Every structure is written in structure tokens, then in C-alpha cells.
Amino acid sequence: MQETGLRNGAFGADKFGLKNLKTVHWNLGAPQLYQHSLTAGEAVLSAEGALCADTGEFTGRSPKDKFTVRDATTDKNMWWAGNQSITSEQFAALYADFLKHAEGMTLYAQDLYGGADPSFQIKTRVFTELAWHSLFIRTLLIRPEAQALKDFVPELTIIDLPSFRADPKRHGVRSENVVAIDFARKIVLIGGSYYAGEMKKSVFTTLNYYLPAKGVLPMHCSANVGPKGDTAIFFGLSGTGKTTLSADPNRTLIGDDEHGWGSDGVFNFEGGCYAKCIKLSKEAEPQIFAASSRFGAVLENVVLDENTRVPDFDDGSKTENTRSAYPLDFIPNASRTGRAGQPKNVVMLAADAFGVLPPIAKLSPAQAMYHFLSGYTAKVAGTERGLGNEPQPEFSTCFGSPFLPLDPSVYGNMLRELIAKHNVDCWLVNTGWTGGKYGTGSRMPIKVTRALLTAALDGSLRNVEFRTDKYFGFAVPTALPGVPSEILNPVNTWKDKAEFDKTARALVGMFQKNFAKFEAQVDAEVRAAAPDLKLAAE
């Protein structure tokens, strides 16, 4: 077996059980991985130098194909209502078949960190079949200094073989596509999908399992910090604006997707960003556009002009879930440490397809826990396998249900305690529709969202007049300089007021029905924070 690159020679691929490999390339950087990927025909170059790859059949995650080993520990600890299980024996068979499948292959290995705080980071080794997947995960996780690679011993190992096909009968899974996690052995097996995002979310899932016991709340959120050290957290599912809204030229970006919140403040889990880039433009999102248009960026499923190879970010013919991955330092004002102090503001982003939520609302701590556990948004086409072209209303608890190994109440109670302890202001922001539901109304203007967020984060929004929303009970500002007053009260943007009332009541009913499963696990104050149809009738 041939080996290249910096590595710990005493802890090689054989420690994982890999044998009879042709070659292992260790910890190659972007130039080498570009060369390998282009030579193998895995990807092509854009005009600006980004590496562009197609992911084929799978253009998003496939949560129905994700499984966790059910053993003596996970049987008691896991949130099985939101996770699927396989037996230790089924995982052992899958593991053996992965190792057999890899024989004779050239693999790429990256030694990386998950977590910017050394006290809580997990050393992660990722073996990939494809060079561009190796560049992707190298970009998304945190890269150690070269000196640290010589004695790197992984705690978590991921093997990513897109050409592997699972056997549902033998392996206890649903299809030929599989993501299987054994928390006891800290192993993740990914097969059948060329979608690179499965790797990074497997690291996130692992941290979600281990960190709460260490007093750290893992969060599906972006984060930034202002010039006065005022940290802000942005919860939200894919497509709701986490990356866009946290990339604020007037604030330092900590990270765009995954963070921990503990006794010392907030820290990023990653070393890169993974932005949706459908409709990406230089005018609306200059920082993300620039980061996606240079050497070192990885574009997924982005259509290139046949002659010029200039990306057409408006073209969603392959998928609406086109993606750009780039190192965090491609954003000029990004944090070099990935760490910041205690948050002053928590923002929950929802892309409301019904067009009845206001553009911003202030939440009490109990309302914040209610909406955190509810996790309302609209799933955006292409983010997950099987979605159509239209957004679908979705309640994803803690704004990250597919990544939660533990019961949602664990994360919800931690959030509520942290909010109370640090006197954090909480906001619900609708980045979805206004003037009508999807198909009738229009997307909330990003200029309005940015103006309201700026006012919330700098404290000026505290001083305006608020009304109590009769459907949801939260506080909504009635006016703000520079923001059209009618947009702050959604009913005023609808031509048919009766239809608005009907739609708002329907959404309230959906919230109530969804939250029924949490009512026994929360106190009376949180139950009272629910939207109330009785109030709407007054």
C-alpha cells in the first residue's frame, strides 16, 4: 500500500480495519485535492476557480436512511421517537462489508477537529472514496496545525464510500443508501450517496449526543458577534437564512451552521461554511458570492455555462439545494478563533409558507422554549430527498430534528436555563412570505429583515411600541424607522382579510397539534406560551 501526506505512522488506516488498499492520501490540501479530483473526472473548474461537482441522484440529505446502533447504552439514552435503530450485529455486518468494499481502492484521509473549544472538540478522521469529498470535509471541519498531525489519534472515524450499496435484508436498513452510527465505537459509515453534506451532519449528530452531559448545548444555528462583544445566535433550518443573516459586514462571523453554548460562551463546531446558493447574487449577498467565486470553494450541483463555465446561480434545474462550501476565512470579517462570549440575543428563523407570521416578534423565555421545541419553518425544495418544488410546512423540533440523538426536552431545558441565566433577548423572525401564502404572496424583503435584525441586535428595538399578536400572543413592534408599517402587521399586507384570519387560525391549530407530544414534558408556563384560538376569537 502506498501512502502520501502528513500522518501519524503509528495509527494508520489499519487501526480501523482497512486493509489491501491501493493508496491512502493523508491530509492533502486544496491544490493536491483539486488535481486528484480533476484527473479522476470527479469535478470540473468554474471560470473563477471553484471546484464544481454533481451529486447525482441524491442532492440532499436522506434522513430516512440514517440509523443508529441500539445497544445497552443507547437503548436508554436515545430519542427513539426521532431516530431509527439497527442492531449491533447488523452494524457489524455493514462494517465488515464496508471494509471489504474498500479493498483495492485509493482512499483520501483527513484528520480534523469537530469543535473550536479544545475542552469539547472531538478528533475526527474521515476516509473518503472521492478527492472532492475529502476537500469538502477538510473545508467544513477545523484543520489542525501540521505539527499536530504527526501524533493524531482519532476519537471519531467516518468512512464515506458513495459506490457502496447496502443490503436492506443483511444490514437492517431501508435502501441501498445508508448512514449508520455506532456511538459506542464512535464510527460512522456512509454509503450510496454522493451528497457530501451527510459527512458534516454526522459529526454534528455525534456532538449532539455527547455534549449535553458536559454542560454544553449543541445548536443548529449560525452566530456572530458585534463590535461591543454582543454575541447573537440564529436558529433555523436550511434555507431560512442562517448563513445569509449571520454574514453581516458590521459584525464578526463566528460560524454559519453548528455551535455549542456552554459556561464560557459560544463556540463553532466547524471551520467552514455551507451556504445554499440558489439565486445567489453579488448585490444581495456580496460576501457569500465572493467566497463562492474563488479557488478553494466547492460548488455542488451548480449549473455552469457550457462555454464560459461561469456559474448560473439562478438555475435550479438540477436541484433547488445548490450549495457552496468554503473555508470560514473566505469571509473577511470571520472570527479566527471560532469562539465568542455569552449571547445577548437569540433569533429563531422561520420561513413561514403561510404568510401570517410577522417579520419579527419578541419572545418571553417561555415562548422561546415553546418555539424552540416547535421548530416551525417551511422545508425548502431539495434540502431533503423526496420534496417537491414547493415549500412544505414543517415542525422540526429544536430546529434540527434529524440531528437529535437525545430527547428534545434535554436541549429545550438547557436553552431555557441559559436564556434565563444570561438574560438573553429572544426573537422570532419570519424570512418566509408576506402579502399572502406561498403562491400568492412574495418572499419577505431581505432589506426589511436586515433592518429589523439590526435594530434588535443593537438594542434599539427594545424601545419601540409593541402590540400583542392576537393569534400567537407574542410582542410585535408597531413601527420602526425605515420599515413600511404595514409589513409589521401581516394582515395589512393581505387583500383578503377573512382569508388571512382563516389561514392564521389554521396555522395556530397546527402549532397546537404538533406541540401535544411535548406538553407532558414542559411546565405550565411553557404550555401557556402556546398560541391560543380563544384569544384570536376576541
Side-chain angles (χ1 to χ4, degrees):
M1 180 179 69
Q2 295 182 334
E3 297 186 88
T4 68
L6 285 173
R7 63 194 182 280
N8 179 356
F11 204 96
D14 59 306
K15 296 295 185 182
F16 187 69
L18 290 163
K19 59 184 180 180
N20 300 326
L21 299 175
K22 181 180 179 182
T23 309
V24 181
H25 297 294
W26 292 90
N27 298 303
L28 300 186
Q32 299 100 314
L33 290 170
Y34 261 64
Q35 184 175 348
H36 281 268
S37 179
L38 295 172
T39 300
E42 297 174 2
V44 298
L45 278 178
S46 77
E48 297 87 357
L51 192 67
C52 304
D54 286 353
T55 64
E57 178 185 2
F58 292 89
T59 58
R61 291 178 295 102
S62 185
K64 292 181 180 179
D65 292 315
K66 182 179 178 182
F67 295 84
T68 302
V69 173
R70 193 166 196 153
D71 55 27
T73 301
T74 57
D75 185 55
K76 299 176 182 178
N77 294 341
M78 284 288 293
W79 177 45
W80 291 115
N83 290 273
Q84 302 172 105
S85 68
I86 55 174
T87 66
S88 296
E89 292 74 19
Q90 289 166 332
F91 185 88
L94 185 67
Y95 186 13
D97 291 347
F98 260 75
L99 297 179
K100 186 66 177 176
H101 185 77
E103 290 187 16
M105 280 187 173
T106 292
L107 295 182
Y108 299 86
Q110 293 286 342
D111 290 330
L112 304 159
Y113 299 140
D117 188 330
S119 299
F120 303 110
Q121 67 189 189
I122 187 167
K123 293 181 178 179
T124 304
R125 175 167 289 173
V126 186
F127 293 100
T128 64
E129 178 180 354
L130 301 176
W132 84 263
H133 274 201
S134 191
L135 178 59
F136 173 90
I137 200 62
R138 177 181 174 83
T139 300
L140 265 296
L141 294 187
I142 297 170
R143 298 160 292 282
E145 297 293 333
Q147 189 64 30
L149 298 174
K150 295 179 181 178
D151 57 4
F152 189 98
V153 176
E155 300 166 271
L156 172 68
T157 303
I158 298 171
I159 183 164
D160 169 54
L161 304 178
S163 67
F164 179 86
R165 296 293 180 265
D167 180 345
K169 290 184 179 180
R170 174 172 164 79
H171 303 130
V173 297
R174 188 184 71 102
S175 71
E176 293 183 337
N177 180 45
V178 65
V179 177
I181 303 176
D182 184 339
F183 284 119
R185 301 171 70 179
K186 293 189 174 70
I187 294 173
V188 180
L189 306 175
I190 303 172
S193 175
Y194 287 79
Y195 181 69
E198 296 283 19
M199 291 184 287
K200 88 180 208 84
K201 288 306 184 187
S202 295
V203 178
F204 183 45
T205 300
T206 302
L207 290 170
N208 280 341
Y209 182 75
Y210 290 109
L211 288 184
K214 299 180 179 181
V216 173
L217 171 63
M219 304 174 293
H220 187 210
C221 70
S222 60
N224 62 26
V225 59
K228 297 180 180 179
D230 52 311
T231 304
I233 291 169
F234 302 81
F235 286 106
L237 291 183
S238 173
T240 55
K242 293 195 311 301
T243 300
T244 298
L245 295 173
S246 58
D248 185 331
N250 299 313
R251 298 172 65 85
T252 299
L253 176 67
I254 305 169
D256 82 324
D257 196 41
E258 302 167 4
H259 294 80
W261 182 359
S263 58
D264 294 329
V266 172
F267 63 95
N268 194 359
F269 288 168
E270 301 185 305
C273 297
Y274 192 37
K276 279 181 69 73
C277 54
I278 191 71
K279 311 295 185 186
L280 178 65
S281 71
K282 186 176 182 179
E283 294 70 31
E285 300 170 85
Q287 290 186 326
I288 298 172
F289 186 88
S292 303
S293 305
R294 57 183 285 190
F295 180 88
V298 180
L299 302 182
E300 286 183 328
N301 300 311
V302 173
V303 175
L304 302 181
D305 182 275
E306 186 176 346
N307 297 314
T308 65
R309 290 199 180 178
V310 172
D312 183 355
F313 291 117
D314 291 330
D315 191 332
S317 58
K318 294 179 181 178
T319 175
E320 291 287 309
N321 193 36
T322 54
R323 291 279 181 167
S324 171
Y326 47 86
L328 194 63
D329 59 18
F330 278 19
I331 301 296
N333 58 328
S335 168
R336 294 300 180 260
T337 66
R339 302 172 69 178
Q342 296 295 342
K344 300 294 184 184
N345 290 276
V346 165
V347 179
M348 299 182 188
L349 304 171
D352 176 26
F354 291 94
V356 298
L357 288 183
I360 197 167
K362 194 172 190 306
L363 306 177
S364 69
Q367 287 172 334
M369 184 173 177
Y370 179 91
H371 284 278
F372 182 65
L373 288 176
S374 297
Y376 170 69
T377 189
K379 281 185 177 179
V380 180
T383 303
E384 291 183 4
R385 183 170 168 78
L387 291 183
N389 292 324
E390 294 189 6
Q392 299 177 13
E394 174 69 8
F395 291 92
S396 183
T397 186
C398 305
F399 296 96
S401 178
F403 322 120
L404 303 184
L406 308 179
D407 190 281
S409 62
V410 172
Y411 310 101
N413 285 322
M414 290 186 76
L415 179 68
R416 188 180 183 187
E417 291 167 6
L418 286 164
I419 287 170
K421 182 178 181 179
H422 299 290
N423 193 29
V424 180
D425 284 337
C426 301
W427 310 90
L428 181 69
V429 171
N430 175 21
T431 60
W433 279 258
T434 183
K437 56 187 175 183
Y438 177 82
T440 302
S442 57
R443 199 72 190 256
M444 190 72 68
I446 192 170
K447 289 184 178 180
V448 168
T449 302
R450 285 199 180 279
L452 290 168
L453 273 176
T454 298
L457 301 187
D458 69 18
S460 59
L461 198 57
R462 292 181 182 179
N463 304 318
V464 304
E465 183 179 345
F466 287 83
R467 66 176 176 85
T468 299
D469 187 90
K470 73 175 187 177
Y471 299 97
F472 289 88
F474 41 47
V476 181
T478 58
L480 186 75
V483 176
S485 58
E486 65 274 8
I487 208 169
L488 293 171
N489 192 348
V491 68
N492 293 333
T493 67
W494 283 56
K495 293 180 180 179
D496 189 333
K497 311 302 183 188
E499 182 64 21
F500 173 87
D501 181 71
K502 178 182 176 182
T503 305
R505 290 172 186 274
L507 184 56
V508 168
M510 291 179 190
F511 267 87
Q512 293 175 332
K513 181 179 178 181
N514 171 73
F515 202 78
K517 59 181 174 284
F518 300 120
E519 288 182 348
Q521 299 165 284
V522 299
D523 60 27
E525 189 178 8
V526 175
R527 290 194 294 272
D532 193 342
L533 288 171
K534 295 178 183 177
L535 292 176
E538 294 178 359

